Amino acid sequence: MNEANEACKNELEGKKTEALEALEASKAEQGEKITALESKMEELKSRFITDENQILIKVGNNADEGEIASLKEALNLALKYVPSIPQSVTREKNKVVIELQEDWEWVEPIGLYHMDLSHIILTQKNFDVPIMCDFSRENMHADNGLLVKLYLDNSKISIKKLHLKAKDKELTENNCWFNNYIYSRFGSGVFIEHLKLDDSLLTTNNHGQAGAYTIFTDDGSQLLAHKIEIIKSAATNEGFAMCENSRAYVEHLILSGGNNN
């Protein structure tokens, strides 16, 4: 009888030890998950600005300050925060802000297809200093014979304040008739508070072969803007264009420089 009791006692002790070990392992695993979550929250917190409900992602050249060099990477990062933002939210403080820093140059083109980024606000730190844009063919988004810096196909995006200026470029070198900052088509939507586009450094030896079209709304798309300023050059074929059943409402449109197009 004593042997049986001892065996039973040992078995229970063994099971108790196994249960305690399993509990400790579970605690350790949960601890790792909590640590990972805290780390993620710290990363997220580092992107908050004054309003705790708004996330700020900086695009610039200073990686030590948390700036991201690639606008495309910043947009992909912003998309990760979509599930945490209710679709019904329209207030600016609940959106993701991508802020372009001074001295950052826009080289890599952006092509958006079937993407609703209207919860993302694209802006820049200092509107008085233009973001220089590389209009070289290899650094433009190519689609259907067009070259564009920001291309939207059935997509949406919001622009708060953006001042873009093309770098010195002879457009005939691109071997393309259409060179553009923003082109939206196939039901896209662009929402703008203040956009300034500067063509003054662009040149062309042949308007029919190559020219600038600044911002173009096409194929059933819509443009809603408070203020758009366009500084034309002799290379500007159209300072502002809309066609193919598209709609545009611009409260203030200011065209200057260049030619009469």
Side-chain angles (χ1 to χ4, degrees):
M1 179 69 71
N2 289 336
E3 291 179 1
N5 287 338
E6 190 65 27
C8 183
K9 180 181 178 181
N10 290 338
E11 182 180 356
L12 290 174
E13 286 293 335
K15 290 183 178 180
K16 179 182 177 181
T17 300
E18 290 177 4
L20 289 173
E21 289 176 349
L23 180 61
E24 289 300 322
S26 177
K27 285 182 178 179
E29 182 181 355
Q30 290 300 317
E32 291 176 359
K33 290 182 178 180
I34 291 172
T35 300
L37 180 60
E38 289 175 344
S39 176
K40 185 65 177 178
M41 289 303 295
E42 283 300 316
E43 177 191 347
L44 189 61
K45 187 178 178 182
S46 70
R47 301 189 187 282
F48 283 167
I49 54 177
T50 52
D51 191 319
E52 63 181 1
N53 291 323
Q54 191 178 63
I55 299 169
L56 175 67
I57 301 174
K58 296 181 180 181
V59 175
N61 303 319
N62 194 346
D64 292 337
E65 295 296 326
E67 296 175 5
I68 299 172
S70 167
L71 177 55
K72 185 178 293 185
E73 183 180 339
L75 287 168
N76 287 332
L77 179 61
L79 284 172
K80 294 181 180 180
Y81 298 121
V82 175
S84 63
I85 302 174
Q87 292 184 355
S88 60
V89 167
T90 57
R91 292 179 300 167
E92 183 175 308
K93 71 175 185 177
N94 295 92
K95 299 186 178 184
V96 182
V97 175
I98 295 179
E99 183 185 74
L100 309 183
Q101 305 300 297
E102 289 185 47
D103 299 325
W104 179 80
E105 183 178 307
W106 191 343
V107 177
E108 182 182 36
I110 302 295
L112 303 177
Y113 292 81
H114 309 288
M115 299 179 71
D116 185 353
L117 305 183
S118 54
H119 75 288
I120 297 172
I121 298 172
L122 185 59
T123 190
Q124 71 186 94
K125 184 175 183 179
N126 186 354
F127 185 81
D128 294 330
V129 179
I131 300 295
M132 301 304 292
C133 299
D134 188 340
F135 266 47
S136 299
R137 184 181 181 88
E138 62 271 18
N139 292 321
M140 300 286 275
H141 181 83
D143 191 288
N144 196 31
L146 313 177
L147 295 180
V148 187
K149 209 66 196 170
L150 175 60
Y151 178 89
L152 295 92
D153 182 320
N154 188 29
S155 298
K156 294 181 175 64
I157 198 166
S158 300
I159 295 173
K160 184 175 178 62
K161 291 185 178 181
L162 213 53
H163 180 183
L164 306 178
K165 183 174 183 175
K167 295 174 65 177
D168 186 7
K169 179 67 180 176
E170 169 52 51
L171 293 179
T172 52
E173 297 172 357
N174 281 352
N175 192 30
C176 178
W177 67 276
F178 185 100
N179 300 267
N180 187 271
Y181 293 94
I182 301 173
Y183 180 53
S184 55
R185 66 187 316 194
F186 300 135
S188 292
V190 181
F191 311 101
I192 299 167
E193 180 177 318
H194 191 181
L195 175 67
K196 186 174 183 178
L197 305 175
D198 188 343
D199 270 359
S200 59
L201 298 180
L202 294 176
T203 59
T204 182
N205 292 322
N206 187 332
H207 276 280
Q209 180 182 346
Y213 287 81
T214 57
I215 182 168
F216 204 104
T217 306
D218 200 2
D219 296 315
S221 295
Q222 63 174 327
L223 172 73
L224 179 62
H226 171 65
K227 186 176 183 179
I228 295 178
E229 297 179 73
I230 296 174
I231 301 174
K232 300 180 294 180
S233 72
T236 307
N237 275 345
E238 291 190 18
F240 180 85
M242 177 186 65
C243 63
E244 297 296 338
N245 299 316
S246 296
R247 295 179 298 170
Y249 175 80
V250 183
E251 191 170 351
H252 301 284
L253 177 61
I254 303 172
L255 303 177
S256 63
N259 49 47
N260 295 322
N261 293 335

